[in-house]
Amino acid sequence: MERTFSYINDERIGELISSAKRYAIYAAPSISKSTAQALVSCCQQNSGLKTHIVLDVDAEPMRLGFGDREGLQFLFEHGVVIRKATGLRVGVIVVDDEAWVYAPTPEIILHQPDETLSNAVKVNTDFALEMIPAIAPEIAKELNILAATIIRENGEKRCEPEIGQAIAVEADIKAVEQSIAENPPVKFDYERRLRVYKSLFQFVDFRFIGGKITSHTITIPPELLNIAEEDSDLRNRIRSTCRLVDESNPFARKFKEFGWKIHKLRKDYTCPLGERYGSIILRKIRPEFDEMVEKARTDMKALTENVAAELQKAIDENRAKLVDLLLPGFKQNPPASLRSRTVSDITEENAREHIQEILSRVIPAASELVGTMQLNCDYKDITYEMLTDKDFVALVKEKFRLDIDALHTEESAAGERSAPV
């Protein structure tokens, strides 16, 4: 006795259709070329065989892997009537007095099923005969099983099918071909691989911006370096750039410790693949990593609030030292910007004020510096193009010591649907 729950794939569909003696009904999202060939061959060998084909004549089912463009073309080129059912996503096969209802295989996700899977239900003869009027009323009429769908028109019996009322014409076939040409489906094997990769990894760009405050330098405006040629000693002591704060300040250690904490967080949770690719992270540890990043952001906020006053004090002290260093040469050889604004003689006081005014344009306040600090964490999914990059695939295999190919199974690809987003 044949099982009620079984499987339907392209090969089995071809076998069922080839066994048809009186009629064969096929309704599904699309059709593969092998199924189309079996159908045409069966019709050629059995001229009395009645067929009824209902498809969603659209490119989208083909992109999902429910069938292919070649199958649709093959049927149309061999004069098989194709009826249109937009949005059809269930499969029905009726061969003589036997019928199956099944879930068509979206090959973009899954491989064709085999005897280890159950995607079909074999229905009894009565149920099969009940389905025929809803799909193929002309066949139901010959079998004398028309039901309430009958409409009398000019004394003739006529009924409308529930699906496939319109017949596909050449314009419909060409529209599908054009859509596929403009936006072709990806190779299904790569798409399944991509789903496996996306279920395991994500690219992560984790960056600490503005944290190197102790390394911040300013460029001394040229007019403050207007030092007489003979004062070579002063020229040697003053450079055009100088560090804004001294690394020996107590708060500098706090910034350095926080920087090491971020470095350790990146090292512990992310995997660098080199400058070309950046870093990736395992999806399964991302929730833990995200929690650590949020804690680091909280710590960073507390750090900036605590050291802001210390930082401003250090900036003010270094600015005062710089003014003292620049003052002798500036007073001895004052620039035109000072001379043009001084009515009487240039004194140490007005020279100092002028230097401070000029430096205020290039020396930021502590609030500006700490305000630029950011801890950014951005994610991107693995792309189809990355899977075609052999170097990238090799790096992932090497870094994680995984047999990625062994994960490219139907179960793994299907299982990724439950993975966290």
Side-chain angles (χ1 to χ4, degrees):
M1 180 178 177
E2 187 172 354
R3 292 168 56 92
T4 301
F5 289 89
S6 59
Y7 71 97
I8 292 290
N9 58 21
D10 287 344
E11 182 180 359
R12 190 145 187 255
I13 292 173
E15 293 173 353
L16 293 172
I17 291 176
S18 298
S19 69
K21 298 295 187 292
R22 293 175 292 151
Y23 55 88
I25 299 171
Y26 176 86
S30 192
I31 191 168
S32 68
K33 186 175 182 179
S34 62
T35 300
Q37 289 173 328
L39 182 66
V40 170
S41 175
C42 192
C43 290
Q44 292 172 344
Q45 295 174 19
N46 183 357
S47 59
L49 180 67
K50 296 186 180 302
T51 61
H52 191 94
I53 310 300
V54 182
L55 304 173
D56 182 358
V57 184
D58 189 78
E60 188 60 22
M62 298 175 188
R63 293 193 182 97
L64 295 173
F66 288 119
D68 51 54
R69 176 180 55 180
E70 291 78 8
L72 183 66
Q73 289 174 328
F74 191 85
L75 289 182
F76 190 78
E77 290 170 359
H78 285 80
V80 177
V81 175
I82 305 168
R83 295 182 176 273
K84 301 187 295 182
T86 302
L88 182 62
R89 291 296 180 269
V90 67
V92 175
I93 301 172
V94 183
V95 175
D96 297 335
D97 296 330
E98 295 185 306
W100 292 261
V101 178
Y102 70 100
T105 303
E107 292 192 63
I108 195 171
I109 301 175
L110 305 171
H111 292 285
Q112 284 276 314
D114 56 25
E115 64 277 358
T116 63
L117 299 174
S118 298
N119 72 325
V121 174
K122 186 179 187 300
V123 299
N124 60 37
T125 302
D126 291 339
F127 190 83
L129 294 177
E130 287 179 11
M131 285 196 299
I132 295 176
I135 305 174
E138 74 281 1
I139 293 178
K141 183 177 179 180
E142 289 193 13
L143 296 174
N144 197 27
I145 55 173
L146 287 177
T149 50
I150 297 175
I151 300 175
R152 295 189 178 276
E153 185 176 302
N154 298 327
E156 293 292 329
K157 289 183 177 181
R158 184 178 66 85
C159 64
E160 294 291 341
E162 292 183 20
I163 59 173
Q165 296 179 8
I167 295 176
V169 296
E170 185 176 3
D172 297 317
I173 308 302
K174 287 186 176 180
V176 172
E177 293 176 357
Q178 182 177 350
S179 179
I180 290 293
E182 292 174 352
N183 183 19
V186 299
K187 294 180 180 179
F188 296 145
D189 181 56
Y190 273 112
E191 182 64 25
R192 288 190 290 267
R193 286 169 178 257
L194 179 58
R195 288 175 177 271
V196 172
Y197 271 86
K198 288 171 69 174
S199 73
L200 294 174
F201 309 108
Q202 274 189 305
F203 283 110
V204 56
D205 185 7
F206 181 47
R207 291 180 293 167
F208 179 36
I209 301 172
K212 297 182 179 180
I213 291 178
T214 56
S215 301
H216 193 94
T217 60
I218 62 167
T219 300
I220 300 175
E223 59 186 307
L224 294 182
L225 295 175
N226 190 28
I227 301 169
E229 289 292 336
E230 58 270 17
D231 199 345
S232 58
D233 179 60
L234 182 60
R235 278 186 171 277
N236 291 334
R237 286 187 292 133
I238 298 178
R239 299 179 181 179
S240 60
T241 62
C242 67
R243 196 180 296 275
L244 189 59
V245 293
D246 195 334
E247 287 188 340
S248 63
N249 278 287
F251 74 87
R253 186 179 69 256
K254 298 177 182 178
F255 278 103
K256 185 174 291 187
E257 288 175 353
F258 184 76
W260 276 108
K261 179 179 178 180
I262 298 303
H263 173 74
K264 186 176 187 303
L265 187 58
R266 183 186 295 109
K267 182 180 179 181
D268 287 348
Y269 285 88
T270 71
C271 178
L273 299 181
E275 184 177 351
R276 179 183 174 189
Y277 302 113
S279 298
I280 60 175
I281 186 172
L282 282 171
R283 273 184 177 267
K284 69 177 184 179
I285 64 169
R286 178 179 160 181
E288 181 182 340
F289 176 67
D290 288 342
E291 185 177 341
M292 297 295 290
V293 171
E294 284 306 311
K295 185 178 183 304
R297 287 194 176 112
T298 302
D299 293 343
M300 182 183 72
K301 183 179 179 181
L303 173 65
T304 57
E305 292 173 351
N306 291 337
V307 304
E310 295 180 58
L311 177 60
Q312 187 60 57
K313 181 181 178 181
I315 291 174
D316 293 341
E317 290 176 352
N318 277 0
R319 176 166 46 196
K321 292 178 182 178
L322 185 58
V323 171
D324 290 340
L325 187 62
L326 291 169
L327 184 61
F330 189 80
K331 184 180 176 183
Q332 181 181 357
N333 190 30
S337 61
L338 175 59
R339 288 185 282 105
S340 64
R341 292 172 54 185
T342 305
V343 176
S344 56
D345 293 337
I346 295 175
T347 65
E348 180 176 317
E349 181 180 359
N350 57 32
R352 183 182 295 276
E353 288 178 353
H354 195 67
I355 294 173
Q356 290 175 338
E357 180 184 345
I358 294 174
L359 287 178
S360 67
R361 304 172 195 164
V362 295
I363 297 179
S367 58
E368 294 178 41
L369 288 176
V370 297
T372 63
M373 292 175 61
Q374 298 178 30
L375 195 57
N376 296 334
C377 189
D378 300 310
Y379 296 98
K380 292 182 181 179
D381 282 332
I382 307 294
T383 64
Y384 169 79
E385 288 73 18
M386 298 307 298
L387 294 193
T388 62
D389 186 332
K390 295 181 179 179
D391 292 338
F392 170 77
V393 174
L395 271 173
V396 172
K397 290 181 178 180
E398 175 189 345
K399 294 287 185 179
F400 290 90
R401 297 187 294 276
L402 289 175
D403 183 2
I404 297 294
D405 292 329
L407 299 176
H408 298 156
T409 63
E410 182 173 311
E411 292 79 12
S412 296
E416 71 85 32
R417 288 172 291 185
S418 63
V421 177

